Amino acid sequence: MKGKILILFLILNVSFAFAQQDTESARRDIIKFGTEAEIANLIQMLRAENVDFLDDEIIALVENTRNQRILTSVFGFFGERGRGGLEDRAMRAIVERDDETNETIFSAMDYLGQLRIVDAVPVLMELLDTEERRFLNSGFRNLGRASSGDSEIADEVAEFLVDFYIYRDPGADNLSVIINAIGETGSSKGVPLLIDIAANTDERFPLRMAAVSALARIGDEDGLDAILSNVTTDNPNVRSTAVEALGPFSGEAVDRAILDAFRDSFYRTRIAAARASRDRKLEAAVPFLRFRAERDDVPAVRDEAIRALGAIATEEANEVLNNLFSERRNPDRVRILAVDMYTKNTGGRNFAQLIIELDEARRRNHTNLYNGFLRVVGETVIDGDTSEIENIATRFMLEGTIMERLFALDMAANNNLTSLEGHIVTLARDRNEGISRKARRIADQLGIEIPEEEA
């Protein structure tokens, strides 16, 4: 009987190995021979699985195609991961734009901008010099991004954009795009123009807001007075933008303006105050943030207050976070966000309590709360003794749901739990392809070898 079971076990393992090989082979065949729809669907699957083992094959594919759907899918997939390899193809799409669709050119520009490819700056400037209306918006936006990786190039681009704004005709709908692009360069060359726009009370509100935000991105002290001048303006949207723009700056006037903004009746200004406090790690804001996190009637304000407390991360701030998490009458989103911030700040000091609340949420069938706590558990990195998280990971690996087993693998990876080698090897042979693939990836990360006969 034992012999039959062993034979069956080996047959299943071999079958699984062949099935996995067949899947990878089928995907490579799609890249080589598939239709645009099949390739686009494959890209969606790879995006969902967050895997990169087919990147080289995909790069080879786009080098020799002008298919718009394939190119836009691939540029988007690589761009959102910050994955290089398509720079030359993207620049070629812009240079040879008469042979490409508009969608391909836009996606190529976005890719170059997302990866901040300095070598693309001359190509983008040449495109903008044509003043073709269809390319201006995307061209300005991505030129600013692409130039930010080199200070000398950024200065050149900032001057180019200022010149375009003042002396050429980009169209009213592109003015704020140019302002934002100047901010993206990070160059002080654009600060005088931005100050003029931000301080001009006769200027349109959207342009003043864009200029204030751009000054914040550049972070030049010369722009601070222009930002402060908008903190008390009558228009609530300009006011909230100016408060949030104070984050990169320092000084008594800045601190006072941020704290005063917590009293603003316009909720976006209170959100801006929380974000500026977060950026500044402003300890003086902790009492205001606690009040907002506990009592504000706008959920988005409470969320931003909690995030700011997490960034400030003093003992007082962490105590507020732990209290927000521990109070079961608080909304689920408040408890989940608070425990996430607290756990990251303290190296899992509250891990035992987190597991108690996790199990309580499951017992009460509070699905959203349980899933939120489970995600935090999966992301936890323990400082010191890892026995508790090892026990939970083992429990999930042995008897958990698909989601619990996936998060258990995260726990193993995040905490270097090589003691779970046997369970990880077992999950690498799981019938669920997502679990097996993730287990194999984490086994490789932890230096765990999957025995040949069990693969």
Side-chain angles (χ1 to χ4, degrees), residues 299-328:
V301 177
R302 300 185 74 174
D303 290 352
E304 291 300 333
I306 292 169
R307 292 189 181 98
L309 288 165
I312 295 169
T314 60
E315 281 299 318
E316 181 185 5
N318 284 333
E319 182 182 356
V320 175
L321 292 171
N322 196 36
N323 290 339
L324 290 168
F325 155 61
S326 301
E327 177 52 70
R328 292 180 177 176

Short mmCIF file of all heavy atoms in Angstrom, two decimals, residues 299-328:
data_model
loop_
_atom_site.label_atom_id
_atom_site.label_comp_id
_atom_site.label_asym_id
_atom_site.label_seq_id
_atom_site.Cartn_x
_atom_site.Cartn_y
_atom_site.Cartn_z
N PRO A 299 -13.40 61.05 6.47
CA PRO A 299 -12.49 59.89 6.53
C PRO A 299 -11.12 60.13 5.92
O PRO A 299 -10.11 59.65 6.44
CB PRO A 299 -13.27 58.81 5.77
CG PRO A 299 -14.70 59.18 5.92
CD PRO A 299 -14.72 60.68 5.92
N ALA A 300 -11.05 60.88 4.82
CA ALA A 300 -9.77 61.12 4.17
C ALA A 300 -8.83 61.92 5.07
O ALA A 300 -7.60 61.72 5.03
CB ALA A 300 -9.97 61.86 2.85
N VAL A 301 -9.39 62.81 5.89
CA VAL A 301 -8.55 63.58 6.83
C VAL A 301 -8.00 62.64 7.91
O VAL A 301 -6.82 62.71 8.27
CB VAL A 301 -9.36 64.72 7.47
CG1 VAL A 301 -8.50 65.46 8.51
CG2 VAL A 301 -9.84 65.70 6.41
N ARG A 302 -8.85 61.76 8.40
CA ARG A 302 -8.39 60.79 9.42
C ARG A 302 -7.27 59.92 8.85
O ARG A 302 -6.26 59.67 9.53
CB ARG A 302 -9.55 59.92 9.89
CG ARG A 302 -10.70 60.68 10.52
CD ARG A 302 -11.78 59.77 11.08
NE ARG A 302 -11.34 59.13 12.32
CZ ARG A 302 -12.13 58.37 13.09
NH1 ARG A 302 -13.38 58.14 12.72
NH2 ARG A 302 -11.66 57.84 14.20
N ASP A 303 -7.43 59.47 7.62
CA ASP A 303 -6.41 58.63 6.99
C ASP A 303 -5.07 59.37 6.90
O ASP A 303 -4.02 58.80 7.24
CB ASP A 303 -6.85 58.21 5.58
CG ASP A 303 -8.00 57.23 5.60
OD1 ASP A 303 -8.35 56.75 6.68
OD2 ASP A 303 -8.54 56.93 4.51
N GLU A 304 -5.10 60.60 6.43
CA GLU A 304 -3.85 61.35 6.27
C GLU A 304 -3.22 61.67 7.62
O GLU A 304 -1.99 61.70 7.74
CB GLU A 304 -4.08 62.63 5.47
CG GLU A 304 -4.42 62.40 4.01
CD GLU A 304 -3.33 61.65 3.26
OE1 GLU A 304 -2.14 61.73 3.65
OE2 GLU A 304 -3.65 60.97 2.27
N ALA A 305 -4.04 61.90 8.62
CA ALA A 305 -3.50 62.14 9.97
C ALA A 305 -2.78 60.90 10.48
O ALA A 305 -1.70 60.99 11.08
CB ALA A 305 -4.62 62.54 10.91
N ILE A 306 -3.34 59.73 10.24
CA ILE A 306 -2.71 58.48 10.67
C ILE A 306 -1.40 58.26 9.94
O ILE A 306 -0.39 57.87 10.53
CB ILE A 306 -3.68 57.31 10.45
CG1 ILE A 306 -4.88 57.42 11.41
CG2 ILE A 306 -2.97 55.96 10.67
CD1 ILE A 306 -6.01 56.46 11.10
N ARG A 307 -1.38 58.52 8.64
CA ARG A 307 -0.14 58.36 7.87
C ARG A 307 0.94 59.32 8.38
O ARG A 307 2.12 58.96 8.44
CB ARG A 307 -0.41 58.60 6.38
CG ARG A 307 -1.27 57.53 5.73
CD ARG A 307 -1.31 57.69 4.21
NE ARG A 307 -2.17 56.67 3.61
CZ ARG A 307 -3.43 56.86 3.25
NH1 ARG A 307 -4.00 58.05 3.42
NH2 ARG A 307 -4.14 55.88 2.72
N ALA A 308 0.52 60.53 8.73
CA ALA A 308 1.49 61.50 9.25
C ALA A 308 2.04 61.04 10.59
O ALA A 308 3.25 61.15 10.85
CB ALA A 308 0.83 62.87 9.37
N LEU A 309 1.18 60.52 11.45
CA LEU A 309 1.66 59.98 12.73
C LEU A 309 2.66 58.85 12.51
O LEU A 309 3.67 58.75 13.21
CB LEU A 309 0.47 59.48 13.56
CG LEU A 309 -0.45 60.57 14.14
CD1 LEU A 309 -1.77 59.95 14.60
CD2 LEU A 309 0.23 61.29 15.29
N GLY A 310 2.38 58.02 11.53
CA GLY A 310 3.30 56.93 11.21
C GLY A 310 4.65 57.43 10.74
O GLY A 310 5.69 56.85 11.05
N ALA A 311 4.65 58.53 9.98
CA ALA A 311 5.91 59.08 9.48
C ALA A 311 6.69 59.78 10.58
O ALA A 311 7.92 59.71 10.63
CB ALA A 311 5.63 60.06 8.34
N ILE A 312 6.01 60.45 11.49
CA ILE A 312 6.68 61.15 12.59
C ILE A 312 7.29 60.15 13.57
O ILE A 312 8.43 60.29 14.01
CB ILE A 312 5.70 62.10 13.29
CG1 ILE A 312 5.27 63.20 12.31
CG2 ILE A 312 6.30 62.70 14.55
CD1 ILE A 312 4.11 64.05 12.78
N ALA A 313 6.51 59.12 13.92
CA ALA A 313 7.02 57.92 14.60
C ALA A 313 7.73 58.17 15.93
O ALA A 313 8.60 57.39 16.32
CB ALA A 313 7.96 57.15 13.66
N THR A 314 7.35 59.22 16.64
CA THR A 314 7.84 59.37 18.01
C THR A 314 7.07 58.42 18.92
O THR A 314 6.07 57.81 18.50
CB THR A 314 7.64 60.81 18.50
OG1 THR A 314 6.23 61.11 18.46
CG2 THR A 314 8.39 61.79 17.62
N GLU A 315 7.52 58.29 20.17
CA GLU A 315 6.80 57.43 21.11
C GLU A 315 5.35 57.89 21.28
O GLU A 315 4.42 57.08 21.35
CB GLU A 315 7.51 57.39 22.47
CG GLU A 315 8.71 56.48 22.52
CD GLU A 315 8.34 55.02 22.25
OE1 GLU A 315 7.31 54.55 22.77
OE2 GLU A 315 9.07 54.35 21.50
N GLU A 316 5.16 59.21 21.34
CA GLU A 316 3.81 59.75 21.47
C GLU A 316 2.97 59.40 20.25
O GLU A 316 1.81 58.99 20.37
CB GLU A 316 3.87 61.27 21.66
CG GLU A 316 2.50 61.91 21.84
CD GLU A 316 2.56 63.44 21.91
OE1 GLU A 316 3.66 64.00 21.74
OE2 GLU A 316 1.50 64.06 22.11
N ALA A 317 3.55 59.56 19.06
CA ALA A 317 2.82 59.26 17.83
C ALA A 317 2.48 57.77 17.76
O ALA A 317 1.36 57.39 17.38
CB ALA A 317 3.64 59.68 16.62
N ASN A 318 3.43 56.92 18.13
CA ASN A 318 3.18 55.48 18.10
C ASN A 318 2.12 55.06 19.11
O ASN A 318 1.33 54.14 18.85
CB ASN A 318 4.49 54.72 18.36
CG ASN A 318 5.40 54.72 17.15
OD1 ASN A 318 4.96 54.81 16.01
ND2 ASN A 318 6.70 54.62 17.39
N GLU A 319 2.10 55.72 20.23
CA GLU A 319 1.07 55.41 21.23
C GLU A 319 -0.33 55.73 20.69
O GLU A 319 -1.28 54.97 20.88
CB GLU A 319 1.33 56.20 22.51
CG GLU A 319 0.33 55.90 23.63
CD GLU A 319 0.56 56.73 24.88
OE1 GLU A 319 1.57 57.48 24.91
OE2 GLU A 319 -0.25 56.64 25.81
N VAL A 320 -0.43 56.85 19.99
CA VAL A 320 -1.72 57.20 19.37
C VAL A 320 -2.14 56.13 18.37
O VAL A 320 -3.29 55.69 18.34
CB VAL A 320 -1.63 58.58 18.69
CG1 VAL A 320 -2.93 58.88 17.93
CG2 VAL A 320 -1.34 59.67 19.70
N LEU A 321 -1.20 55.70 17.55
CA LEU A 321 -1.48 54.67 16.55
C LEU A 321 -1.95 53.38 17.20
O LEU A 321 -2.92 52.75 16.76
CB LEU A 321 -0.24 54.41 15.70
CG LEU A 321 0.20 55.55 14.78
CD1 LEU A 321 1.56 55.24 14.17
CD2 LEU A 321 -0.83 55.79 13.68
N ASN A 322 -1.27 52.97 18.26
CA ASN A 322 -1.65 51.72 18.93
C ASN A 322 -3.04 51.82 19.55
O ASN A 322 -3.82 50.86 19.52
CB ASN A 322 -0.60 51.37 19.99
CG ASN A 322 -0.72 49.92 20.44
OD1 ASN A 322 -1.03 49.03 19.64
ND2 ASN A 322 -0.49 49.68 21.72
N ASN A 323 -3.35 52.98 20.09
CA ASN A 323 -4.69 53.17 20.67
C ASN A 323 -5.77 53.14 19.60
O ASN A 323 -6.86 52.58 19.81
CB ASN A 323 -4.74 54.50 21.43
CG ASN A 323 -3.92 54.48 22.70
OD1 ASN A 323 -3.61 53.42 23.24
ND2 ASN A 323 -3.53 55.66 23.18
N LEU A 324 -5.49 53.72 18.45
CA LEU A 324 -6.46 53.70 17.35
C LEU A 324 -6.70 52.27 16.87
O LEU A 324 -7.83 51.89 16.54
CB LEU A 324 -5.95 54.55 16.19
CG LEU A 324 -5.93 56.06 16.40
CD1 LEU A 324 -5.13 56.75 15.30
CD2 LEU A 324 -7.34 56.62 16.46
N PHE A 325 -5.63 51.49 16.82
CA PHE A 325 -5.76 50.09 16.42
C PHE A 325 -6.52 49.27 17.45
O PHE A 325 -7.39 48.45 17.12
CB PHE A 325 -4.36 49.51 16.20
CG PHE A 325 -4.26 48.02 16.36
CD1 PHE A 325 -4.98 47.15 15.54
CD2 PHE A 325 -3.44 47.47 17.34
CE1 PHE A 325 -4.88 45.78 15.69
CE2 PHE A 325 -3.35 46.10 17.50
CZ PHE A 325 -4.07 45.25 16.68
N SER A 326 -6.24 49.48 18.71
CA SER A 326 -6.79 48.64 19.78
C SER A 326 -8.27 48.90 20.04
O SER A 326 -8.98 48.02 20.54
CB SER A 326 -6.00 48.87 21.08
OG SER A 326 -4.63 48.56 20.89
N GLU A 327 -8.75 50.10 19.71
CA GLU A 327 -10.14 50.44 19.94
C GLU A 327 -11.04 49.80 18.89
O GLU A 327 -11.08 50.23 17.74
CB GLU A 327 -10.31 51.97 19.94
CG GLU A 327 -11.76 52.44 20.10
CD GLU A 327 -12.43 51.80 21.31
OE1 GLU A 327 -12.04 52.16 22.44
OE2 GLU A 327 -13.32 50.95 21.10
N ARG A 328 -11.77 48.75 19.30
CA ARG A 328 -12.57 47.98 18.34
C ARG A 328 -13.77 48.74 17.79
O ARG A 328 -14.37 48.33 16.80
CB ARG A 328 -13.03 46.67 18.98
CG ARG A 328 -11.89 45.71 19.24
CD ARG A 328 -12.35 44.41 19.89
NE ARG A 328 -11.24 43.47 20.06
CZ ARG A 328 -11.34 42.29 20.67
NH1 ARG A 328 -12.52 41.90 21.16
NH2 ARG A 328 -10.27 41.52 20.79
#
